Amino acid sequence: MSLIKLTIKGISYSQTQSGAYALVLSELEGTRTLPIIIGAFEAQSIAIALEKEIRPPRPLTHDLFKTFADRFFIQVKQVIIHKLVDGVFFSSLICERDGEEEVIDTRTSDAIALAVRFQAPIFTYENILDKAGIYLKIEDDLDEASDDEDEFELTFEDEAEESSFAKLSLSELQNQLNEAVVNEDYELAAKIRDEISKRS
């Protein structure tokens, strides 16, 4: 069965599960998307790995795994989302060390967090996309969006907090961003970063 390459479309709050997030993957050559419900920690870890501007003062668990793997010359070659049972996705890390390949079972959210750090491709099978994939409705405003694989959007619903940022100057926003990173409040840091980006 042939593998289909996926890219990360974005992360948003889950509309169905409180406190959870929806990680949206999309097929590289097609219009189907694969939404996967993940926890807040995993969503934060994936978002931080995708962001270039936010650097945590201490390594997160997935950063530690990457450092450990690098130290012992282990490379994550690819991630395969290989099974879907009762709404739960099963994934594997394809790793290589000294020319020997190993397959490691993992949660999909952890697999994606590591794939981003190792710049490893993400794949799934046609039957999984058939079962769980959603066709993306092509609209005029999507035509204007960039196809850059590195582009990432993290959306938040707290409009009251966002509007309070509008009253702050750029230097005040930068100070709050630095403080949020030091306090390891990456969700707040992402919101402040979005406000700074809107003004530049």
Side-chain angles (χ1 to χ4, degrees):
M1 197 178 300
S2 62
L3 291 169
I4 297 170
K5 191 172 183 180
L6 302 171
T7 61
I8 299 173
K9 193 76 175 169
I11 299 175
S12 65
Y13 282 120
S14 169
Q15 302 298 314
T16 56
Q17 292 186 30
S18 177
Y21 290 78
L23 167 67
V24 182
L25 305 175
S26 62
E27 59 180 332
L28 195 61
E29 298 177 2
T31 59
R32 287 175 295 183
T33 61
L34 193 64
I36 300 172
I37 302 302
I38 62 175
F41 170 78
E42 291 78 11
Q44 173 181 282
S45 181
I46 293 168
I48 287 170
L50 288 165
E51 290 294 344
K52 309 299 181 205
E53 299 159 23
I54 299 174
R55 287 285 173 264
R58 298 181 299 163
L60 301 178
T61 303
H62 298 108
D63 297 321
L64 175 61
F65 184 98
K66 173 71 164 66
T67 303
F68 179 89
D70 288 345
R71 191 67 53 90
F72 290 94
F73 309 104
I74 300 165
Q75 183 65 35
V76 173
K77 304 299 287 183
Q78 61 184 12
V79 165
I80 301 176
I81 303 169
H82 61 83
K83 190 165 66 172
L84 174 61
V85 179
D86 297 328
V88 177
F89 292 91
F90 292 77
S91 296
S92 297
L93 292 175
I94 312 301
C95 303
E96 186 179 83
R97 182 173 184 261
D98 295 334
E100 291 188 21
E101 197 171 270
E102 294 285 343
V103 179
I104 300 173
D105 184 45
T106 177
R107 296 187 308 166
T108 299
S109 54
D110 289 330
I112 303 299
L114 291 172
V116 174
R117 285 166 171 81
F118 282 91
Q119 297 182 334
I122 304 162
F123 296 96
T124 193
Y125 292 107
E126 181 73 37
N127 65 325
I128 291 177
L129 271 175
D130 285 342
K131 273 200 276 187
I134 297 170
Y135 281 93
L136 182 66
K137 185 178 178 184
I138 304 298
E139 297 175 345
D140 293 339
D141 58 345
L142 288 178
D143 294 335
E144 299 170 10
S146 168
D147 290 328
D148 186 357
E149 195 170 312
D150 295 330
E151 185 176 330
F152 173 73
E153 182 179 352
L154 181 59
T155 58
F156 295 95
E157 293 176 342
D158 194 349
E159 294 177 8
E161 190 168 34
E162 286 178 1
S163 65
S164 71
F165 295 146
K167 300 171 187 172
L168 300 175
S169 68
L170 274 174
S171 60
E172 289 171 326
L173 285 170
Q174 194 61 54
N175 289 337
Q176 285 203 11
L177 175 62
N178 294 337
E179 188 178 330
V181 171
V182 168
N183 293 331
E184 299 184 12
D185 188 349
Y186 303 116
E187 186 175 315
L188 176 61
K191 294 177 187 179
I192 298 170
R193 186 248 17 248
D194 289 345
E195 179 63 30
I196 292 172
S197 298
K198 275 195 284 187
R199 298 190 193 184
S200 54

